[in-house]
Amino acid sequence: MELARRAVEISPSPTLAIDAQAKAMKAKGIEVINFSAGEPDFGTPEFIKQAAIAALEADFTRYTPVAGIPELRQAVCNYLQQRGVSYEPSEIVVSNGAKHSLYNAMQVLLNEGDEVIISAPYWVSYYEQIKLAGGVPVVINTDANTDFKLSAAALKEAVTPRTKMIVLNSPCNPTGSVYSRGELEALAEVILAHDLVVLSDEIYAELLYDGGSHTSIAALGPEIKARTVLIDGVSKTYAMTGWRIGYAAAPANVAKAMTDLQSQSTSNPNSIAQKAALAALTGSQEPVKAMRQEFEQRRNRILAGLRELPGITCNKPGGAFYVFPYIGALFGRKFRDQQLNNSTDVAAALLNHFQVAVVPGVAFGAEPYMRMSYATSMDAINTGLERLKQFVSELK
Ligand SMILES: *Cc1c(COP(=O)(O)O)cnc(C)c1O
């Protein structure tokens, strides 16, 4: 059967593919150290699970309003208020994960040929979702020297009359970089000067280390808020990736369009998961604090271990749960007669010979780096670092 051009042009998520390969090896009994996961390794906090059980037992199992139950949309407003942004429930659309929220936003905002600026390293789905909406991804490369951050000057230079949108992701997957208020202000100035829309993916907003706090670009003032679609969800903050609840906060006309689109595609997100998300947002935030502290210790450990390895350098990420070491000094060297030419070669050698799964930087549009997730146990981190050390020491 002949597929539509749209389908032929989709690339499957490389991060999910590597994670699947690592899990398949594990299933065969091979002891894989998996640094490729894009999700917390913790269980969902108990009181959240209890809320879901209660919803199920109360037969909360029918269609809900398309944009989510009113209590949940109100809870999202209250939650975002703490971030310094005020929204009405009518400006909130709850979807099947933040990924779905991003997809809906692109679908209702982009026309054929609209340019969307993303900075590399980028989260893989932005690129494909832009294309699926008929947009044209315009990639601005950044590197470790500028902590992988997009400067206002680089943004300004990339803007053309066809530019419609810029996607921002702070804290960032895959780099863990965090934009400061000043950096966001400078970007906002350019965004406003050119009437752009900013899609602000804030899914890691609660995972900041060293006492840092999150700034949303929407919180910088009413003008920039009116040009922002803010995306967040419960997946990363509450270890709820499988529940599939994310949301968008957007100007009312955009929220309405996203709701209408959703009404013709997926309808409401899962009713039971909505009750669980409501509990997550309104209940104790102690589990979040505990997970954040654990992530911070792991970040410190993995960073220290990586920095001991000759040829590897690594910036200190301020948020999320990834490190993005520079591996350019390994290129051109040989591992058991095989020359390493790029991040894919390094990732393949690590997986095949050391059972260590990492994601090559090229998957995020960036060489010469690799992404390692520290959403795994401290024991696994230590074992993985040992294996990496062995790998590096064997290079000729
Ligand atoms: C995990 C992730 C998402 C999607 O989260 P879901 O709510 O599970 O769909 C969106 N953006 C980034 C950068 C992510 O890492």
Side-chain angles (χ1 to χ4, degrees):
M1 207 179 283
E2 200 172 332
L3 294 172
R5 189 161 27 89
R6 181 188 319 117
V8 174
E9 287 173 1
I10 299 176
S11 312
S13 165
T15 48
L16 291 183
I18 291 163
D19 199 42
Q21 199 183 337
K23 282 177 178 152
M25 285 170 77
K26 234 177 199 160
K28 278 195 220 149
I30 301 167
E31 202 229 325
V32 180
I33 299 296
N34 192 356
F35 290 125
S36 74
E39 60 183 336
D41 54 316
F42 304 109
T44 302
E46 190 56 36
F47 74 91
I48 299 174
K49 293 193 281 195
Q50 289 306 327
I53 290 166
L56 193 53
E57 286 182 344
D59 278 325
F60 194 72
T61 52
R62 299 179 193 277
Y63 292 134
T64 75
V66 170
I69 52 176
E71 313 89 280
L72 178 55
R73 279 186 281 162
Q74 183 61 57
V76 169
C77 293
N78 298 348
Y79 173 76
L80 291 178
Q81 188 68 57
Q82 299 163 25
R83 209 171 282 180
V85 265
S86 300
Y87 285 101
E88 297 294 326
S90 59
E91 296 172 305
I92 307 297
V93 185
V94 183
S95 298
N96 301 296
K99 188 182 268 189
H100 187 213
S101 303
L102 289 159
Y103 181 86
N104 284 345
M106 302 238 197
Q107 289 289 326
V108 306
L109 287 166
L110 297 179
N111 280 318
E112 202 69 33
D114 281 347
E115 291 179 358
V116 181
I117 294 173
I118 52 179
S119 63
Y122 49 75
W123 186 58
V124 291
S125 294
Y126 302 141
Y127 197 94
E128 297 299 323
Q129 291 192 351
I130 292 164
K131 287 197 303 179
L132 280 166
V136 179
V138 174
V139 178
I140 303 179
N141 291 310
T142 68
D143 61 29
N145 295 320
T146 52
D147 200 18
F148 307 103
K149 285 190 262 192
L150 176 65
S151 69
L155 173 61
K156 199 169 168 183
E157 202 164 292
V159 173
T160 76
R162 289 176 305 282
T163 310
K164 169 80 191 248
M165 179 188 278
I166 158 182
V167 182
L168 265 189
N169 177 213
S170 176
C172 174
N173 174 5
T175 64
S177 298
V178 177
Y179 284 78
S180 70
R181 191 178 186 93
E183 288 162 343
L184 291 173
E185 278 167 352
L187 291 173
E189 207 170 292
V190 180
I191 290 162
L192 289 175
H194 296 276
D195 276 334
L196 309 181
V197 168
V198 55
L199 192 52
S200 181
D201 181 349
E202 304 180 17
I203 193 90
Y204 294 101
E206 297 291 344
L207 293 176
L208 280 148
Y209 312 119
D210 311 314
S213 68
H214 175 74
T215 305
S216 171
I217 193 164
L220 298 180
E223 296 84 9
I224 190 69
K225 180 177 167 241
R227 307 296 305 171
T228 303
V229 176
L230 190 163
I231 306 286
D232 202 342
V234 297
S235 284
K236 309 293 161 65
T237 306
Y238 301 99
M240 291 178 72
T241 44
W243 298 77
R244 310 311 302 131
I245 296 289
Y247 50 84
N253 69 321
V254 178
K256 172 159 190 318
M258 289 173 72
T259 305
D260 291 346
L261 173 67
Q262 187 158 292
S263 78
Q264 300 295 5
S265 49
T266 59
S267 296
N268 63 273
N270 180 291
S271 58
I272 297 156
Q274 287 189 63
K275 285 286 193 185
L278 175 64
L281 289 174
T282 54
S284 165
Q285 302 299 297
E286 282 305 311
V288 178
K289 196 172 155 197
M291 288 190 273
R292 183 192 306 122
Q293 284 169 349
E294 177 65 24
F295 277 135
E296 181 161 351
Q297 282 172 14
R298 293 171 181 181
R299 179 206 59 171
N300 294 345
R301 175 73 198 98
I302 200 166
L303 191 63
L306 285 170
R307 285 177 169 176
E308 281 170 16
L309 301 178
I312 292 185
T313 56
C314 191
N315 284 8
K316 185 179 195 175
F321 41 66
Y322 311 97
V323 284
F324 203 65
Y326 175 88
I327 54 170
L330 310 184
F331 294 0
R333 298 178 66 189
K334 273 190 174 161
F335 175 75
R336 301 181 191 166
D337 290 333
Q338 194 226 327
Q339 181 157 316
L340 304 171
N341 293 319
N342 49 50
S343 59
T344 306
D345 290 349
V346 172
L350 283 172
L351 187 58
N352 296 329
H353 299 282
F354 293 90
Q355 294 78 48
V356 171
V358 303
V359 184
V362 70
F364 310 97
E367 287 279 19
Y369 304 93
M370 62 184 185
R371 189 191 77 175
M372 296 170 71
S373 160
Y374 49 87
T376 186
S377 70
M378 200 64 106
D379 280 349
I381 290 170
N382 286 325
T383 307
L385 285 169
E386 276 306 314
R387 294 184 189 181
L388 264 173
K389 190 172 173 181
Q390 184 62 34
F391 167 68
V392 173
S393 75
E394 280 190 45
L395 295 181
K396 297 262 170 14

